[in-house]
Amino acid sequence: RSRGLIWRPAERIRTTMNTLTGTEYGDAGVLERSEADRPDPGAGEVRIEVKAAGINFADIMQRRGHYHGGPEPPYVPGMEVAGVIDAVGEGVGRKTGQEVVSLVAGGGYAEYAIADARGLLEIPEGLSFEEAAGFPVQWLTAHNCLHEWGELEAGETVLVHAAAGGVGSAAVQLADEAGATVIGTASTPEKLSMAAELGADHGIRYTEEEFVDRVDEITGGEGVDLVLDGIGGETTDQSLDALSPFGRMVSFGAASGEPGRPNTADLLFGNKRVIGYHLGQAIDEVPMRVMGAVPELTELLGSGSLEVRVGHTFDLDEAADAHRFIEDRKSSGKVVLIP
């Protein structure tokens, strides 16, 4: 005590953080809470205090050990974060306190994450951290698959699989915005209703009817001009049957766990194209082609013309439950973790 005051030691600066670690390949139970040293940014990097981390199906594929070039356990998953810059590395023209969203090279399921300063995006006006965490992967993928890779034109018809999911809900809105006729598939009436609210002109409940037959009815036998396929397996093969002559299909994932294996005879006799798309590799190889979509997306999301649908949020410790939620097809819109 001194002059009637009580002395208290300075608060200890916390140098550790909570993370979710994939301890091995397997089911959602391999995701376990752990503690790690809080990372320091290197040259050209920033550290982000994570306010929300997006979950993508690629995270699930990595956890299963089915993701080409994915990380080896133990590792911290997560490729998409929104939050506040709290430290900057050498040569970075950013300031602490700025709110940003970014793709990260893993490590997003944590209280802090390291990001390349060159890839930081401003959070569109009016979006919460949770909504912003659903912006980079889903919306860049949807825009690129429709436009930069799929070459969608006004008046064409596009088939969007999993139309109430993260990429699907974005693709439905963007295709509608572009003046296309949108056909969406989903597993439940509730998901089809959501797709319709977002701009889908026709809905197909694929668990109750063959989507190829319904596409044939909807298009009068002509088929669709463009398919967005993130499912793979039999869906890929059947989607080719739903394409019109000279139609295109952009394959951007294999949520079924199986790759699609199209018959080349189906392609050449129908003059059809199958186009591959992988966001991470595309950013590495042709960044301007990918990121050229950002100004338009930022404007449309900021103005309210488009919306990021956050379907469900989970605490960081509940990451395993969040993965199961997606795998059980209970999710619609974006699923987000909150540290």
Side-chain angles (χ1 to χ4, degrees):
R1 291 179 181 270
S2 175
R3 296 184 181 178
L5 300 177
I6 299 176
W7 176 83
R8 293 183 177 88
E11 182 179 350
R12 182 172 64 88
I13 298 175
R14 186 177 173 218
T15 58
T16 60
M17 64 175 182
N18 292 320
T19 72
L20 259 291
T21 299
T23 56
E24 58 183 310
Y25 294 137
D27 62 21
V30 304
L31 296 177
E32 297 181 2
R33 177 178 173 175
S34 61
E35 191 172 82
D37 291 336
R38 188 174 61 178
D40 292 321
E45 297 177 333
V46 302
R47 183 174 65 209
I48 298 173
E49 181 183 357
V50 179
K51 300 298 185 181
I55 298 181
N56 297 283
F57 205 85
D59 300 344
I60 293 172
M61 298 293 285
Q62 288 179 359
R63 193 205 72 219
R64 294 173 178 171
H66 297 163
Y67 194 83
H68 181 71
E72 294 185 3
Y75 71 98
V76 177
M79 57 183 65
E80 185 178 38
V81 299
V84 179
I85 296 174
D86 88 316
V88 298
E90 183 181 353
V92 175
R94 291 277 186 168
K95 296 181 179 180
T96 59
Q98 291 183 329
E99 299 180 354
V100 294
V101 59
S102 182
L103 298 172
V104 293
Y109 291 14
E111 292 180 306
Y112 295 87
I114 297 297
D116 187 327
R118 295 172 298 178
L120 298 177
L121 302 176
E122 306 303 326
I123 295 178
E125 185 177 354
L127 263 63
S128 66
F129 285 119
E130 292 88 347
E131 292 167 331
F135 168 38
V137 171
Q138 269 80 11
W139 286 85
L140 284 174
T141 297
H143 196 286
N144 287 170
C145 287
L146 287 170
H147 296 293
E148 287 79 13
W149 271 252
E151 301 173 355
L152 180 66
E153 296 182 2
E156 290 191 317
T157 301
V158 57
L159 174 63
V160 179
H161 288 300
V167 173
S169 61
V172 166
Q173 295 179 70
L174 287 170
D176 180 58
E177 178 78 17
T181 297
V182 184
I183 303 173
T185 71
S187 59
T188 67
E190 293 77 17
K191 291 182 179 182
L192 288 174
S193 177
M194 173 181 163
E197 291 176 12
L198 295 175
D201 301 285
H202 305 277
I204 302 173
R205 189 178 178 186
Y206 67 84
T207 54
E208 299 292 330
E209 54 188 343
E210 296 292 335
F211 74 83
V212 177
D213 293 339
R214 281 289 293 127
V215 166
D216 194 58
E217 293 175 10
I218 293 168
T219 63
E222 293 186 4
V224 299
D225 302 290
L226 177 64
V227 176
L228 265 57
D229 173 34
I231 309 300
E234 291 184 359
T235 299
T236 300
D237 302 335
Q238 293 168 354
S239 293
L240 283 176
D241 294 334
L243 274 180
S244 66
F246 298 93
R248 300 91 65 199
M249 177 168 66
V250 180
S251 174
F252 65 91
S256 66
E258 297 290 335
R261 302 186 184 279
N263 186 325
T264 54
D266 295 333
L267 300 178
L268 67 95
F269 285 111
N271 288 285
K272 301 174 181 179
R273 287 186 285 157
V274 177
I275 305 158
Y277 173 84
H278 184 272
L279 176 61
Q281 187 174 21
I283 288 178
D284 289 341
E285 299 291 338
V286 285
M288 295 307 296
R289 186 178 178 188
V290 175
M291 304 303 284
V294 170
E296 179 185 5
L297 290 174
T298 300
E299 180 182 350
L300 291 172
L301 288 168
S303 68
S305 298
L306 304 176
E307 61 175 309
V308 178
R309 282 288 180 101
V310 176
H312 208 89
T313 60
F314 290 83
D315 290 339
L316 182 63
D317 291 350
E318 299 172 326
D321 292 332
H323 276 217
R324 295 186 189 101
F325 187 74
I326 295 172
E327 291 175 292
D328 292 341
R329 298 181 181 177
K330 295 178 180 179
S331 63
S332 59
K334 184 69 175 183
V335 178
V336 176
L337 291 178
I338 308 297

